[in-house]
Amino acid sequence: MPRMIRGQRKPAILLDALVLAAAVAAFVLGSWVNVHSGGMTLSRIATTSMKVHVDFQTFWLSAEAVWGGGDIYHTGATLPNLNPPFWTLVFSPLGLLEPLDAYRIFVLLTLLLFVCYTAWTAHELRLGGGWASFAAGALFLSSPLLATLALGQIYAVVTLALVASWVADRRGRRVLSGVALGLAVAVKPSLAPALLWYVMRGRWVSFGSAVAAGALATLGAALALGPWSTMEWLRVAFGNSVDPYWDNASLPGTAARLFTRNPYSRALAEAPVMIYVAYAVAILLLLYTCYRVWKGSEAGLWAMVAASLLLSPISWNNYLMLLTPGILVLLARRRYAPALLLLALQYIPPEWPLLWAGKGTVAAALAMGLYLYSLLIHWAAFTFSPRAAVEKGA
């Protein structure tokens, strides 16, 4: 019997070695790109130009319109506001400040939320101080967090809600768990498939609480800002096609970049139908993730979130912030090799696609899909994580 156990461990040891080698390669690649780009992301955080903090500018102009009685979805912003009215209502107090002052406060708030949900997750998992500090430091330097700070995006808020839902579920607080996840979906509706996390485990109270919380938040925002705001958001959101921009890591977004004419990379072929094929593949991955969640996995929520991002028409690389608590789960369960690989992948900066822009080759088009590959690896690491016994008694 001991010989069989040793023999069974050899493939796992070999796989871990390959994953660790991939982690080292990803870290070296990220370091090289950071040196090559000259740390552009850090300079973008420090600049006083609101044109650089373009997402925050969009949110701020919508918030200003709330107080001025204007149209929150037609503000003259550089980018369209694709977020639901509920987020604008939550964000609206910052519309009373000057834009640069509001941005700086939002950056500090984002960092505070990052510290809170990282420490909360580590404490819940009883993750050792050494690994917790290492992971927190690596995530602090990660591309998704730094780029989120530079652009002024909302992912720290959503991640905190996800962690609150996960912790409450572990502690048996079904209603609180559902409310937290429902509010996360109300802010970021593309995460709605993650509600299947409850369905597959028979957590019907949590599921009902999530649906009710999301619906009430949406209804409250509609009453506060006017029902037309919700209708206009639906028109704007559904009026935008799948974005082929190189930072879009979703399967449909990658298919649009590879199989339709676009200004970002050479199309491998003119085959728009591949976008629908990508949706079909993403749905199959979501269904398989549901099966794995049904079988039981402590990283189940993060697997569902990753599957939701693969299915969404738009999933920017910065969305990887939503998955960072799952990396701590892997570390706590001694899944060191995949956790280190995910940390290394998150270290690769957003300037990577710029190295391939304008080359017009098949290799360049495929290289621009690096963020999709990274998201797929995150999904696989969480989806195939073993079941943890602690989840039963939590």
Side-chain angles (χ1 to χ4, degrees), residues 212-305:
L216 288 174
T218 302
L219 178 61
L223 293 176
L225 303 179
W228 59 267
S229 64
T230 301
M231 299 303 297
E232 185 62 15
W233 166 65
L234 291 172
R235 190 193 67 79
V236 171
F238 285 99
N240 280 266
S241 58
V242 177
D243 197 327
Y245 188 61
W246 52 48
D247 200 47
N248 190 357
S250 76
L251 280 168
T254 302
R257 189 167 57 249
L258 292 178
F259 296 104
T260 65
R261 288 188 180 183
N262 66 86
Y264 308 113
S265 72
R266 171 185 172 180
L268 302 184
E270 290 285 332
V273 69
M274 292 303 294
I275 296 177
Y276 300 101
V277 173
Y279 272 118
V281 172
I283 291 172
L284 290 176
L285 291 179
L286 177 66
L287 293 176
Y288 182 73
T289 309
C290 289
Y291 168 74
R292 295 291 299 187
V293 167
W294 174 67
K295 295 288 286 184
S297 170
E298 192 173 21
L301 175 59
W302 317 112
M304 292 300 304
V305 171

Side-chain angles (χ1 to χ4, degrees), residues 57-136:
Q57 179 198 53
T58 299
F59 303 146
W60 185 86
L61 287 172
S62 292
E64 183 190 41
V66 170
W67 300 109
D71 186 339
I72 65 175
Y73 289 104
H74 297 88
T75 61
T78 304
L79 298 178
N81 185 358
L82 300 180
N83 292 93
F86 177 61
W87 168 247
T88 301
L89 187 63
V90 172
F91 187 90
S92 61
L94 291 178
L96 297 171
L97 304 176
E98 291 298 315
L100 186 58
D101 293 336
Y103 167 72
R104 288 169 174 165
I105 290 174
F106 192 72
V107 165
L108 293 176
L109 178 61
T110 298
L111 289 173
L112 176 62
L113 294 180
F114 164 76
V115 171
C116 287
Y117 69 67
T118 302
W120 194 6
T121 304
H123 173 74
E124 179 67 21
L125 292 166
R126 295 180 176 84
L127 184 62
W131 277 114
S133 300
F134 170 78

Side-chain angles (χ1 to χ4, degrees), residues 21-385:
V24 171
F27 177 75
V28 171
L29 175 62
S31 299
W32 180 81
V33 177
N34 272 300
V35 171
H36 185 272
S37 65
M40 289 173 57
T41 303
L42 293 177
S43 64
R44 288 161 60 203
I45 295 174
T47 184
T48 58
S49 172
M50 294 307 296
K51 292 182 179 180
V52 175
H53 313 309
V54 64
D55 287 77
F56 185 86
Q57 179 198 53
T58 299
F59 303 146
W60 185 86
L61 287 172
S62 292
E64 183 190 41
V66 170
W67 300 109
D71 186 339
I72 65 175
Y73 289 104
H74 297 88
T75 61
T78 304
L79 298 178
N81 185 358
L82 300 180
N83 292 93
F86 177 61
W87 168 247
T88 301
L89 187 63
V90 172
F91 187 90
S92 61
L94 291 178
L96 297 171
L97 304 176
E98 291 298 315
L100 186 58
D101 293 336
Y103 167 72
R104 288 169 174 165
I105 290 174
F106 192 72
V107 165
L108 293 176
L109 178 61
T110 298
L111 289 173
L112 176 62
L113 294 180
F114 164 76
V115 171
C116 287
Y117 69 67
T118 302
W120 194 6
T121 304
H123 173 74
E124 179 67 21
L125 292 166
R126 295 180 176 84
L127 184 62
W131 277 114
S133 300
F134 170 78
L139 293 172
F140 181 76
L141 297 175
S142 68
S143 168
L145 175 61
L146 295 179
T148 290
L149 293 174
L151 294 171
Q153 293 168 322
I154 67 176
Y155 310 133
V157 177
V158 180
T159 307
L160 179 64
L162 292 174
V163 169
S165 175
W166 175 75
V167 171
D169 181 80
R170 282 169 56 91
R171 293 174 177 264
R173 299 175 180 175
R174 306 295 183 229
V175 174
L176 180 59
S177 175
V179 169
L181 187 54
L183 292 178
V185 172
V187 172
K188 186 59 65 176
S190 58
L191 296 180
L195 295 176
L196 295 174
W197 180 54
Y198 294 133
V199 174
M200 299 310 299
R201 297 179 304 139
R203 301 284 204 266
W204 299 108
V205 171
S206 296
F207 177 74
S209 300
V211 172
L216 288 174
T218 302
L219 178 61
L223 293 176
L225 303 179
W228 59 267
S229 64
T230 301
M231 299 303 297
E232 185 62 15
W233 166 65
L234 291 172
R235 190 193 67 79
V236 171
F238 285 99
N240 280 266
S241 58
V242 177
D243 197 327
Y245 188 61
W246 52 48
D247 200 47
N248 190 357
S250 76
L251 280 168
T254 302
R257 189 167 57 249
L258 292 178
F259 296 104
T260 65
R261 288 188 180 183
N262 66 86
Y264 308 113
S265 72
R266 171 185 172 180
L268 302 184
E270 290 285 332
V273 69
M274 292 303 294
I275 296 177
Y276 300 101
V277 173
Y279 272 118
V281 172
I283 291 172
L284 290 176
L285 291 179
L286 177 66
L287 293 176
Y288 182 73
T289 309
C290 289
Y291 168 74
R292 295 291 299 187
V293 167
W294 174 67
K295 295 288 286 184
S297 170
E298 192 173 21
L301 175 59
W302 317 112
M304 292 300 304
V305 171
S308 300
L309 298 181
L310 287 168
L311 176 61
S312 174
I314 296 176
S315 292
W316 307 128
N317 182 53
N318 297 346
Y319 279 35
L320 290 182
M321 267 189 72
L322 307 181
L323 303 177
T324 53
I327 300 177
L328 300 183
V329 173
L330 296 180
L331 286 173
R333 302 306 165 230
R334 300 183 180 182
R335 304 285 293 169
Y336 300 127
L340 291 173
L341 175 57
L342 299 189
L343 289 173
L345 288 171
Q346 294 219 6
Y347 182 62
I348 300 173
E351 289 80 19
W352 165 260
L354 298 178
L355 303 176
W356 305 93
K359 294 191 180 295
T361 63
V362 171
L366 294 175
M368 283 187 178
L370 177 65
Y371 298 141
L372 167 66
Y373 314 145
S374 177
L375 179 55
L376 280 170
I377 292 171
H378 279 73
W379 170 81
F382 300 140
T383 300
F384 295 99
S385 63

